[in-house]
Amino acid sequence: MPHTPPSDTPAVRRRAVLAAAATAAAAPALTALAAAPATAAPAAAAPGRRPCALQGGGDLGPNVLVFDPSTPDIQARLDDVFRQQESAQFGAGRYALLFKPGVYHGLNAQLGFYTSIAGLGLSPDDTTINGDVTVDAGWFGGNATQNFWRSAENLALVPVSGTNRWAVAQAAPFRRMHVRGGLNLAPSGYGWASGGYIADSRIDGEIGPYSQQQWYTRDSAIGSWLNGVWNMVFSGVEGAPAQSFPNPPYTTLDTTPVSREKPFLYVDDGGFRVFLPAKRTNARGVTWGSGTPRGTSLPLSRFYVARPGVSAATLNQALAQGLDLLLTPGVYRLDQPIRVTRADTVVLGLGYATLVPDNGVTALKVADVDGVRLAGFLIDAGPVNSPTLLEVGPPGASRDHSANPTTVQDVFVRIGGAGAGKATTSMVINNRHTIVDHTWVWRADHGEGVGWETNRADYGVVVNGHDVLATGLFVEHFNKYDVQWYGQRGRTIFFQNEKAYDAPNQAAVQNGSVKGYAAYKVGDKVTAHEGWGLGSYCYYNVDPTIVQHHGFAAPNTPGVKFHDLLVVSLGGQGQYEHVVNDTGAPTSGTSTVPSTVVSYP
């Protein structure tokens, strides 16, 4: 039996600065197997004439590989993608690997960067792989703390060894999966790991996080859970361990207050459709346990299938015509915002489709309307500072969206790493009742274009709307506040944060009379807010003498409540004086042991 690290195991995340340069153009595309009809690129309208109407549907493009059980050489094609993507952390390659319903034998789909694998059935059990979907860390010496930007969805797995390995860090969701065996969340050799997120999944056997520092599991069913390091959070999970924070560090909620699963692509009578799962309240367990899942379905003809190189004007024309957007894998440069103004619009990305705003524009803006679904794409800041990168609702948005909220799912934001990028605020949530379900908002600490001013980004996530719920909130390394929450009745279930590594000195992070900016700040006028399972870490490797007064700041009022908070000094590189406000013991020396607060106030 492999050694299981105790909960106080030092697991310092010393990420080496990589010199990887961003790939200027996508690598040569592999042969696609998608059979959908092609849609010609829209012709430019002559001066004075209205543009032609765009068609829905279309070719999923060269970087979407669609397999069925009779496809020859599947393993070879999977291996080709993996060889290209294994260590391409800041490259431009993007791939989606899609499996039609059926049974597949003897496969090991190893996933590298910007690679998504998914089944095309209505249930995960429609598509069974007798084999594995593997993420490991051989490319990085057995350290999985940089295994970002990859995903697995809507498949059933029968692992060859009985246990599937999924050693990931941030932005690597495991959604709507059925593992007929166990799940190992650590790399071979049980090196460092820093994930992660599971939702709407059934794991029949044991989940072993081993060295995983934190993890969030939502609305799932598991056989058992082995251990915890710092912060393991469960909501709506059948089989979850009992509440016991801080020892073991389990935060367990019986249900998730509100959830609506991510849209997904599937096939019906040979054609592609997109399923839109229904909203659930007080959710527990998977959505697909028996029969057809609850929700609605749209044919691909309702979507403009976008390919890299298309203009923002064309994307907006499609939206104005009433089409939804399916963003096929690749990098999209935007000279104006994508504007979502119609209720119930779907913007769904495949294979980590990436939006790059030019000239300081906002990548995507949503109006104050019901039921928008944003899912499955990455926003990469451009070299000219953008005031915001994603804006969900205009300033002052006030409509009640409780019956049909907007969901932001597996939408990730990056500033720097692939090249110099800047943004004052990354994500702003103005619309009421928005659900932010798994996001990683990251000011890069390694890669290209990284430095205290080079990839300047003062604020990560700002929530102004009332009644917003965040489930799985990862926000890291911002120059000032990582999260600011000004809306009333906000709730967060699981938060993971690191303060910016590269602060040059104490003065650079001085916040008036307060030492440092809190990772998570609730506005002074907020009277109702609640959070469960929130952690902040510091690793001030440029100046280890920097002191943070606290990780969390909030008004001291009965309606603002926190459960299970922790702060950690990674290897003593910087220190916290308190956990929340003036409460909680300071972190101690170089021991990398969390300081915790079980309940506040």
Side-chain angles (χ1 to χ4, degrees):
M1 181 71 180
H3 173 65
T4 302
S7 61
D8 63 348
T9 297
V12 180
R13 296 171 62 195
R14 298 187 179 101
R15 294 175 176 162
V17 175
L18 302 182
T23 303
L30 300 173
T31 302
L33 304 173
T39 297
R49 297 181 61 183
R50 297 179 61 186
C52 297
L54 301 175
Q55 293 181 347
D59 186 349
L60 297 183
N63 286 18
V64 176
L65 279 65
V66 182
F67 305 104
D68 65 48
S70 66
T71 302
D73 301 324
I74 296 176
Q75 186 65 55
R77 293 173 184 268
L78 298 176
D79 292 345
D80 283 346
V81 174
F82 180 64
R83 276 191 292 269
Q84 179 178 307
Q85 299 301 115
E86 180 183 12
S87 59
Q89 183 171 182
F90 297 113
R94 305 285 188 273
Y95 287 93
L97 312 173
L98 306 182
F99 287 75
K100 290 184 177 180
V103 179
Y104 299 78
H105 296 284
L107 298 181
N108 181 19
Q110 299 182 82
L111 300 188
F113 287 97
Y114 314 108
T115 305
S116 298
I117 189 170
L120 290 171
L122 269 179
S123 165
D125 289 327
D126 292 341
T127 310
T128 297
I129 293 178
N130 288 308
D132 297 83
V133 172
T134 301
V135 178
D136 211 337
W139 74 278
F140 198 49
N143 180 346
T145 60
Q146 293 183 23
N147 279 352
F148 313 137
W149 304 305
R150 63 202 75 196
S151 67
E153 300 183 48
N154 205 27
L155 291 165
L157 304 179
V158 184
V160 171
S161 69
T163 300
N164 189 78
R165 186 180 301 280
W166 186 255
V168 297
Q170 290 83 354
F174 198 79
R175 285 186 182 268
R176 201 177 171 77
M177 296 287 287
H178 185 187
V179 180
R180 298 175 191 161
L183 190 63
N184 183 337
L185 304 179
S188 299
Y190 300 93
W192 296 337
S194 181
Y197 176 89
I198 294 172
D200 200 22
S201 294
R202 182 180 298 278
I203 315 301
D204 293 346
E206 180 180 74
I207 298 179
Y210 300 102
S211 56
Q212 279 287 354
Q213 295 160 353
Q214 65 275 317
W215 198 277
Y216 176 48
T217 307
R218 178 182 63 73
D219 299 352
S220 295
I222 66 176
S224 61
W225 188 273
L226 181 61
N227 73 292
V229 177
W230 291 335
N231 189 30
M232 305 288 162
V233 180
F234 309 84
S235 68
V237 178
E238 298 169 355
Q243 169 72 32
S244 59
F245 187 90
N247 187 25
Y250 300 148
T251 299
T252 302
L253 289 73
D254 286 342
T255 62
T256 303
V258 186
S259 64
R260 189 173 68 187
E261 298 303 330
K262 179 185 172 185
F264 61 91
L265 198 66
Y266 74 105
V267 290
D268 181 33
D269 296 328
F272 288 106
R273 299 181 67 89
V274 174
F275 192 82
L276 308 177
K279 187 187 78 168
R280 297 198 291 170
T281 56
N282 298 319
R284 182 173 174 83
V286 301
T287 62
W288 47 269
S290 59
T292 302
R294 292 193 306 116
T296 57
S297 175
L298 299 175
L300 197 63
S301 60
R302 286 280 305 273
F303 287 78
Y304 177 71
V305 178
R307 300 276 291 273
V310 70
S311 69
T314 298
L315 297 175
N316 284 327
Q317 181 189 346
L319 290 169
Q321 286 180 201
L323 294 171
D324 299 305
L325 296 182
L326 185 70
L327 305 174
T328 63
V331 178
Y332 297 75
R333 303 204 70 97
L334 307 173
D335 61 357
Q336 61 179 277
I338 298 173
R339 298 185 183 275
V340 177
T341 61
R342 174 175 53 85
D344 300 314
T345 298
V346 180
V347 180
L348 176 61
L350 299 179
Y352 286 82
T354 301
L355 308 178
V356 182
D358 289 327
N359 303 318
V361 303
T362 299
L364 192 150
K365 293 187 175 186
V366 178
D368 192 2
V369 294
D370 273 353
V372 172
R373 303 184 195 229
L374 308 178
F377 56 89
L378 171 65
I379 298 174
D380 211 350
V384 178
N385 185 76
S386 293
T388 60
L389 293 173
L390 174 63
E391 184 180 280
V392 180
S398 60
R399 294 181 181 175
D400 186 320
H401 302 297
S402 56
N404 188 12
T406 286
T407 45
V408 181
Q409 299 177 285
D410 300 348
V411 173
F412 308 116
V413 179
R414 179 173 68 192
I415 303 96
K422 293 185 178 182
T424 303
T425 304
S426 294
M427 181 184 296
V428 180
I429 309 295
N430 292 320
N431 278 356
R432 293 185 61 189
H433 302 101
T434 299
I435 301 171
V436 180
D437 177 44
H438 190 227
T439 187
W440 184 39
V441 181
W442 185 57
R443 175 182 167 264
D445 61 280
H446 62 270
E448 190 174 84
V450 171
W452 184 248
E453 296 294 343
T454 305
N455 62 329
R456 182 85 193 185
D458 283 351
Y459 309 111
V461 175
V462 176
V463 179
N464 297 314
H466 300 326
D467 308 291
V468 171
L469 171 65
T471 52
L473 187 60
F474 299 73
V475 188
E476 297 190 296
H477 304 154
F478 286 85
N479 294 74
K480 293 184 178 179
Y481 291 114
D482 298 276
V483 171
Q484 297 172 90
W485 205 299
Y486 299 111
Q488 296 287 358
R489 297 175 299 280
R491 292 173 290 185
T492 295
I493 304 173
F494 183 89
F495 170 67
Q496 186 266 331
N497 165 262
E498 286 179 346
K499 296 301 300 173
Y501 291 178
D502 56 345
N505 49 50
Q506 187 76 49
V509 295
Q510 193 69 19
N511 182 14
S513 62
V514 179
K515 299 172 185 174
Y517 290 83
Y520 188 109
K521 177 179 172 57
V522 179
D524 294 341
K525 296 181 180 180
V526 173
T527 57
H529 186 90
E530 196 159 9
W532 296 263
L534 314 183
S536 176
Y537 319 149
C538 72
Y539 183 65
Y540 288 116
N541 60 350
V542 174
D543 182 358
T545 68
I546 291 175
V547 174
Q548 277 279 132
H549 183 71
H550 46 220
F552 302 89
N556 188 8
T557 183
V560 176
K561 305 174 185 178
F562 291 106
H563 314 273
D564 302 353
L565 300 177
L566 70 148
V567 295
V568 181
S569 171
L570 301 178
Q573 305 293 293
Q575 299 292 335
Y576 291 92
E577 293 180 321
H578 301 285
V579 179
V580 53
N581 294 344
D582 297 324
T583 299
T587 52
S588 56
T590 61
S591 60
T592 315
V593 174
S595 177
T596 62
V597 169
V598 173
S599 181
Y600 183 87

